[in-house]
Amino acid sequence: MEARPTSAPSGSHPDWPTRRIVILGSTGSIGTQTLDVVRRLAGRVEVVGIAAHRNADMLLAQAEEFDVPHVCLAEPEAAHGLASASPARMVYVGQDGMNQLAELPEADTVVVAVAGAIGIAPTHAAIRSGKRIALASKEVLVAAGESTMQMARSHGVDIVPIDSEHSALFQCIHGNPSAHIESLILTASGGPFRDFDLEQMRAVGPDDALRHPTWNMGGLVTINSATLMNKGLEVIEARWLFDVPSDRIEVIIHPQSIVHSLVRFRDGSVLAQMGLPDMRLPIQYALLYPDRIDTALPRLELSACAPLTFAEPDTQRFPALRLARDAIAAGGTMPAVMNGANEVAVARFLERDLPFLGIMKTVEAVMSRHSPVEPSLPNVMAADSWAREQARRS
Ligand code: MG
């Protein structure tokens, strides 16, 4: 059993204000871990709105435990009965409902943790109403990175990443102007097949891939970790989040997942952020930034995790890194197409409709048929649907 704080966390400033947050995707992996962080913060963070895809029972249980006044389900059918089951709450439905939640005047921070391009519009709505964004959804930066960051800059809004690697980079960069940065170094666990040769990779099935050594994640993220597409997407996210060109973003295989990422500065100095593989730390950092307080999260014991190893990734066996760099170079809607095609190809692999190496072949084939256009939100959504349709048939 871990120690749990029983009163207000120690180390916090006495006048430290309560944060009021909305969680988009509250029933998913990041959403439930965010609520665990809220529990540990013992009254320092108030949850004013939660949105989920279709899990009405879990959403209601969360609303009751955290006394949440505003609740939303994206799927209209699932929202039937929500209002009668919960007469004291405001119930919102669909994409419009998520946008309204993102704009709630009583909220100061919006945690974006929904799966898919559906997260882009509410993120933009939250930025326009001046909220801090605690960002977990990859699609927001992969498919709409440039416009999202421009919007955040013009509204003076912080986008604080929840992804462990980007949180690490954010923490290392903290206070340094971008002119001081030489390169960003993203670490990758390498997934379960990092030491397989091509012959072995041909024989891999869903069960082999779903046994991931370090992080406990959903099916899509686990397969993306095994193909390194997860890291490809993270290169694109980092490119926009930190405004660093992709040729200055490196990837290094680090199977222990203790060093979460590193920044090399102009003078050659390299800063790393380290921690246990526990998403609650980057989540707490994103909610409280720039504050740091003790919520009794497990501590990193350096002698227990040695040795730490680092190796170059092999883009022959893991073409996802090359495809991600191609997508950035092509620009426009190409990253959205890569992401949409990948999600469908992964689903087909999990249904045993594609071999493991067929995932990236499918993504590459769909990308080769796409002529990128300007990445406005309607164009991004159209490119995403087109890519999914193409990947279903390739
Ligand atoms: Mg990550």
Side-chain angles (χ1 to χ4, degrees):
M1 271 296 279
E2 285 166 23
R4 271 283 179 80
T6 50
S7 56
S10 59
S12 60
H13 193 275
D15 306 327
W16 196 65
T18 303
R19 297 230 193 255
R20 293 186 175 82
I21 70 169
V22 164
I23 306 171
L24 305 179
S26 65
T27 58
S29 165
I30 295 294
T32 52
Q33 291 183 83
T34 301
L35 287 170
D36 188 42
V37 169
V38 171
R39 255 182 226 117
R40 304 172 80 88
L41 285 165
R44 294 289 188 158
V45 172
E46 196 181 310
V47 185
V48 298
I50 49 177
H53 182 206
R54 65 162 89 93
N55 191 342
D57 292 343
M58 191 167 173
L59 187 81
L60 272 180
Q62 293 176 335
E64 269 160 36
E65 181 186 347
F66 293 91
D67 199 16
V68 185
H70 303 271
V71 297
C72 174
L73 279 178
E75 210 177 81
E77 268 121 74
H80 276 320
L82 198 58
S84 50
S86 185
R89 295 174 222 288
M90 286 285 292
V91 175
Y92 304 74
V93 181
Q95 176 84 53
D96 286 347
M98 287 223 295
N99 295 348
Q100 286 170 283
L101 234 62
E103 292 171 339
L104 281 177
E106 55 266 57
D108 52 54
T109 300
V110 177
V111 178
V112 183
V114 293
I118 192 173
I120 299 172
T123 303
H124 288 185
I127 293 172
R128 280 192 296 264
S129 42
K131 320 270 191 234
R132 162 176 303 179
I133 307 296
L135 184 62
S137 301
K138 290 193 182 307
E139 290 80 3
V140 174
L141 290 176
V142 168
E146 191 169 13
S147 61
T148 302
M149 294 310 292
Q150 270 170 2
M151 201 181 281
R153 275 189 290 272
S154 72
H155 286 84
V157 159
D158 286 318
I159 297 190
V160 188
I162 283 179
D163 206 348
S164 61
E165 293 82 356
H166 302 81
S167 177
L169 296 170
F170 191 96
Q171 294 179 56
C172 292
I173 290 170
H174 186 72
N176 283 281
S178 61
H180 286 180
I181 300 168
E182 183 172 288
S183 58
L184 306 177
I185 307 168
L186 288 162
T187 53
S189 76
F193 314 131
R194 62 179 174 272
D195 299 321
F196 280 30
D197 60 27
L198 275 174
E199 203 54 51
Q200 291 170 298
M201 286 172 79
R202 249 173 230 125
V204 159
D207 301 334
D208 309 304
L210 289 173
R211 261 184 255 117
H212 191 275
T214 312
W215 301 87
N216 181 20
M217 303 175 294
L220 172 70
V221 185
T222 303
I223 305 305
N224 282 349
S225 166
T227 61
L228 291 198
M229 179 50 93
N230 190 46
K231 217 47 57 176
L233 296 170
E234 289 179 0
V235 169
I236 301 176
E237 290 179 87
R239 188 265 167 272
W240 296 118
L241 196 53
F242 304 109
D243 196 22
V244 170
S246 61
D247 61 353
R248 292 202 276 122
I249 305 175
E250 303 164 32
V251 171
I252 193 97
I253 304 295
H254 169 51
Q256 297 83 13
S257 297
I258 295 294
V259 175
H260 295 317
S261 276
L262 316 89
V263 178
R264 192 191 308 275
F265 289 95
R266 287 288 180 200
D267 57 3
S269 179
V270 177
L271 292 193
Q273 189 267 338
M274 303 167 79
L276 292 170
D278 185 332
M279 288 308 295
R280 294 173 299 180
L281 182 53
I283 291 168
Q284 179 178 315
Y285 183 80
L287 295 182
L288 302 189
Y289 162 78
D291 285 301
R292 291 184 185 271
I293 64 176
D294 180 8
T295 56
L297 283 175
R299 272 10 190 194
L300 174 66
E301 297 298 339
L302 282 171
S303 56
C305 59
L308 301 180
T309 60
F310 301 91
E312 286 294 326
D314 174 1
T315 50
Q316 291 293 117
R317 288 181 300 134
F318 298 101
L321 291 176
R322 174 175 57 77
L323 293 177
R325 292 183 194 283
D326 290 351
I328 298 172
T333 44
M334 191 62 93
V337 162
M338 182 189 78
N339 180 64
N342 178 65
E343 286 195 11
V344 170
V346 168
R348 288 182 57 189
F349 167 69
L350 290 174
E351 291 157 11
R352 299 172 198 277
D353 184 34
L354 271 184
F356 185 72
L357 294 178
I359 300 172
M360 286 311 131
K361 288 204 181 99
T362 300
V363 173
E364 186 159 22
V366 174
M367 285 172 69
S368 73
R369 293 198 290 272
H370 181 63
S371 305
V373 293
E374 189 249 325
S376 64
L377 190 50
N379 285 351
V380 163
M381 301 307 279
D384 177 77
S385 312
W386 177 86
R388 284 168 197 274
E389 184 54 39
Q390 293 287 313
R392 248 167 240 130
R393 294 194 258 138
S394 293

Coordinates of all heavy atoms in Angstrom, one line a residue, residues 115-148:
A115 N -9.6 10.2 -27.2 CA -8.9 9.5 -28.3 C -9.4 10.0 -29.6 O -10.6 10.2 -29.8 CB -9.1 8.0 -28.2
G116 N -8.5 10.4 -30.5 CA -8.9 10.7 -31.9 C -9.0 12.2 -32.1 O -8.8 13.0 -31.2
A117 N -9.2 12.5 -33.4 CA -9.3 13.9 -33.8 C -10.4 14.7 -33.2 O -10.5 15.9 -33.3 CB -9.3 14.0 -35.4
I118 N -11.3 14.0 -32.5 CA -12.5 14.7 -31.9 C -12.0 15.7 -30.8 O -12.7 16.5 -30.4 CB -13.4 13.6 -31.3 CG1 -14.7 14.2 -30.8 CG2 -12.7 12.8 -30.1 CD1 -15.8 13.1 -30.4
G119 N -10.8 15.5 -30.3 CA -10.2 16.4 -29.3 C -9.8 17.8 -29.8 O -9.6 18.7 -29.0
I120 N -9.7 17.9 -31.1 CA -9.1 19.2 -31.6 C -10.0 20.4 -31.4 O -9.6 21.4 -30.8 CB -8.8 19.1 -33.1 CG1 -7.7 18.0 -33.4 CG2 -8.2 20.4 -33.7 CD1 -7.5 17.6 -34.8
A121 N -11.3 20.2 -31.7 CA -12.2 21.4 -31.6 C -12.4 21.9 -30.2 O -12.3 23.1 -29.9 CB -13.6 21.0 -32.2
P122 N -12.6 21.0 -29.2 CA -12.7 21.5 -27.8 C -11.4 22.1 -27.3 O -11.5 23.0 -26.5 CB -13.1 20.3 -27.0 CG -13.0 19.1 -27.9 CD -13.0 19.6 -29.3
T123 N -10.3 21.6 -27.8 CA -9.0 22.2 -27.4 C -8.9 23.6 -27.9 O -8.6 24.6 -27.1 CB -7.8 21.4 -27.9 OG1 -7.9 20.1 -27.5 CG2 -6.5 22.0 -27.5
H124 N -9.3 23.8 -29.1 CA -9.3 25.2 -29.6 C -10.3 26.1 -28.9 O -10.1 27.3 -28.6 CB -9.6 25.2 -31.2 CG -8.5 24.6 -32.0 ND1 -8.5 24.6 -33.3 CD2 -7.3 24.1 -31.6 CE1 -7.3 24.0 -33.7 NE2 -6.6 23.7 -32.7
A125 N -11.5 25.5 -28.6 CA -12.5 26.3 -27.8 C -11.9 26.7 -26.5 O -12.1 27.9 -26.0 CB -13.8 25.5 -27.6
A126 N -11.2 25.8 -25.8 CA -10.7 26.1 -24.5 C -9.6 27.2 -24.6 O -9.5 28.1 -23.7 CB -10.1 24.8 -23.9
I127 N -8.8 27.1 -25.6 CA -7.7 28.1 -25.8 C -8.3 29.5 -26.0 O -7.9 30.4 -25.4 CB -6.8 27.7 -27.0 CG1 -6.0 26.4 -26.7 CG2 -5.8 28.9 -27.3 CD1 -5.2 25.9 -27.9
R128 N -9.3 29.5 -26.9 CA -10.0 30.8 -27.2 C -10.6 31.4 -25.9 O -10.8 32.6 -25.8 CB -11.0 30.6 -28.3 CG -10.4 30.6 -29.7 CD -11.5 30.8 -30.7 NE -12.4 29.6 -30.7 CZ -12.3 28.5 -31.5 NH1 -11.3 28.5 -32.4 NH2 -13.1 27.5 -31.4
S129 N -11.0 30.6 -24.9 CA -11.6 31.1 -23.7 C -10.5 31.2 -22.6 O -10.8 31.4 -21.4 CB -12.8 30.4 -23.3 OG -12.7 29.0 -23.4
G130 N -9.2 31.1 -23.0 CA -8.1 31.5 -22.1 C -7.7 30.4 -21.1 O -7.1 30.7 -20.1
K131 N -8.1 29.2 -21.3 CA -7.8 28.1 -20.3 C -6.4 27.5 -20.5 O -6.0 27.4 -21.7 CB -8.8 26.9 -20.4 CG -10.2 27.3 -20.7 CD -11.0 27.5 -19.4 CE -12.5 27.7 -19.6 NZ -13.0 28.9 -19.0
R132 N -5.8 27.1 -19.4 CA -4.6 26.3 -19.6 C -5.0 24.9 -20.2 O -6.1 24.4 -19.8 CB -4.0 26.0 -18.2 CG -3.0 24.8 -18.3 CD -2.3 24.5 -17.1 NE -1.5 25.7 -16.7 CZ -0.7 25.7 -15.6 NH1 -0.7 24.7 -14.8 NH2 -0.1 26.8 -15.3
I133 N -4.2 24.4 -21.1 CA -4.4 23.1 -21.6 C -3.4 22.1 -21.0 O -2.2 22.3 -21.1 CB -4.3 23.1 -23.2 CG1 -5.1 24.2 -23.8 CG2 -4.6 21.7 -23.7 CD1 -6.6 24.0 -23.7
A134 N -3.9 21.1 -20.4 CA -3.1 19.9 -20.0 C -3.4 18.9 -21.0 O -4.4 18.3 -21.1 CB -3.5 19.5 -18.6
L135 N -2.4 18.7 -21.9 CA -2.7 18.0 -23.1 C -2.1 16.5 -23.2 O -0.9 16.3 -23.0 CB -2.0 18.7 -24.3 CG -2.3 18.2 -25.7 CD1 -3.8 18.2 -26.0 CD2 -1.6 19.0 -26.7
A136 N -3.1 15.6 -23.3 CA -2.7 14.2 -23.5 C -3.0 13.7 -24.9 O -2.3 12.7 -25.4 CB -3.4 13.3 -22.5
S137 N -4.0 14.2 -25.5 CA -4.4 13.7 -26.9 C -3.4 14.0 -27.9 O -3.1 15.2 -28.2 CB -5.8 14.3 -27.3 OG -6.7 14.0 -26.3
K138 N -2.8 13.0 -28.5 CA -1.8 13.2 -29.5 C -2.3 13.9 -30.8 O -1.6 14.7 -31.4 CB -1.2 11.9 -30.0 CG -0.4 11.2 -28.9 CD 0.4 10.0 -29.5 CE 1.2 9.3 -28.5 NZ 2.0 10.1 -27.7
E139 N -3.5 13.6 -31.1 CA -4.0 14.1 -32.4 C -4.0 15.6 -32.5 O -3.9 16.2 -33.6 CB -5.5 13.6 -32.7 CG -5.5 12.1 -33.0 CD -5.5 11.2 -31.7 OE1 -5.4 11.8 -30.6 OE2 -5.4 10.0 -31.9
V140 N -4.2 16.3 -31.3 CA -4.3 17.7 -31.3 C -3.0 18.3 -32.0 O -3.1 19.2 -32.8 CB -4.5 18.3 -29.9 CG1 -4.5 19.8 -29.9 CG2 -5.9 17.7 -29.4
L141 N -1.9 17.8 -31.6 CA -0.6 18.4 -32.1 C -0.2 17.7 -33.4 O 0.4 18.3 -34.3 CB 0.5 18.3 -31.1 CG 0.3 19.3 -29.9 CD1 1.4 19.0 -28.8 CD2 0.3 20.7 -30.3
V142 N -0.5 16.4 -33.5 CA -0.1 15.7 -34.7 C -0.8 16.2 -35.9 O -0.3 16.5 -37.0 CB -0.4 14.1 -34.6 CG1 -0.2 13.4 -35.9 CG2 0.6 13.6 -33.6
A143 N -2.2 16.4 -35.8 CA -3.0 16.7 -36.9 C -3.1 18.3 -37.1 O -3.4 18.8 -38.1 CB -4.3 16.1 -36.8
A144 N -3.1 19.0 -35.9 CA -3.3 20.4 -36.0 C -2.4 21.2 -35.1 O -2.7 22.2 -34.5 CB -4.8 20.6 -35.5
G145 N -1.1 20.8 -35.2 CA -0.1 21.4 -34.3 C 0.2 22.8 -34.5 O 0.2 23.6 -33.6
E146 N 0.3 23.2 -35.8 CA 0.7 24.6 -36.1 C -0.4 25.6 -35.7 O -0.1 26.5 -35.0 CB 1.0 24.7 -37.6 CG 1.7 26.0 -37.9 CD 2.2 26.0 -39.4 OE1 1.8 25.1 -40.2 OE2 3.0 27.0 -39.7
S147 N -1.6 25.3 -36.1 CA -2.7 26.2 -35.7 C -3.0 26.2 -34.2 O -3.2 27.3 -33.7 CB -4.0 25.8 -36.5 OG -4.4 24.5 -36.1
T148 N -2.8 25.1 -33.6 CA -3.1 25.0 -32.1 C -2.1 25.9 -31.4 O -2.4 26.6 -30.5 CB -3.0 23.6 -31.6 OG1 -4.0 22.8 -32.4 CG2 -3.3 23.5 -30.1

